[in-house]
C-alpha cells in the first residue's frame, strides 16, 4: 500500500516536471518523497510508543496524509 501511495504522489510530479528538469532532479525528488514518508511514519510510531498519540492514528496517519496528497496532486494534474 505504501509503495502505491508513493507512486501516486510521484507520478503527477514526474509528469509535470519531466520536460523542465533533468532526470537527476526527478530521482532526487522521488528519494526525498520516500524519505519524508519514512521519517513521518517513524515519528508517529515513536509518539504512539510514548503514549502521546493513539496507536491506530499513528499507524495510519502517514499513509492517509500521502493518500490525500497523492489524490490532490492527481486531481490538480487533471484540471490543467
Amino acid at each position: 500500500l505504501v509503495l502505491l501511495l508513493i507512486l501516486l504522489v510521484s507520478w503527477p510530479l514526474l509528469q509535470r516536471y519531466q520536460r523542465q528538469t533533468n532526470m537527476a532532479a526527478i530521482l532526487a525528488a522521488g528519494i526525498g518523497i520516500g524519505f519524508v514518508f519514512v521519517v513521518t511514519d517513524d515519528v508517529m510510531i515513536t509518539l504512539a510508543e510514548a503514549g502521546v498519540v493513539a496507536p491506530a492514528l499513528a499507524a495510519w496517519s502517514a499513509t492517509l496524509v500521502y493518500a490525500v496528497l497523492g489524490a490532490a496532486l492527481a486531481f490538480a494534474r487533471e484540471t490543467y
Side-chain angles (χ1 to χ4, degrees):
L1 181 63
V2 172
L3 294 175
L4 291 175
L5 289 176
I6 291 175
L7 181 62
L8 181 67
V9 171
S10 300
W11 188 259
L13 294 176
L14 175 65
Q15 287 183 337
R16 181 177 297 164
Y17 297 112
Q18 76 184 31
R19 291 189 180 106
Q20 298 172 359
T21 58
N22 59 11
M23 289 304 289
I26 293 171
L27 180 64
I31 291 171
I33 288 169
F35 181 75
V36 169
F37 177 82
V38 169
V39 169
T40 304
D41 193 41
D42 287 346
V43 166
M44 291 305 292
I45 289 173
T46 302
L47 290 174
E49 289 173 349
V52 177
V53 179
L57 177 65
W60 286 100
S61 62
T63 304
L64 291 175
V65 166
Y66 261 64
V68 169
L69 179 64
L73 286 172
F75 181 71
R77 178 71 183 148
E78 290 293 323
T79 58
Y80 278 74

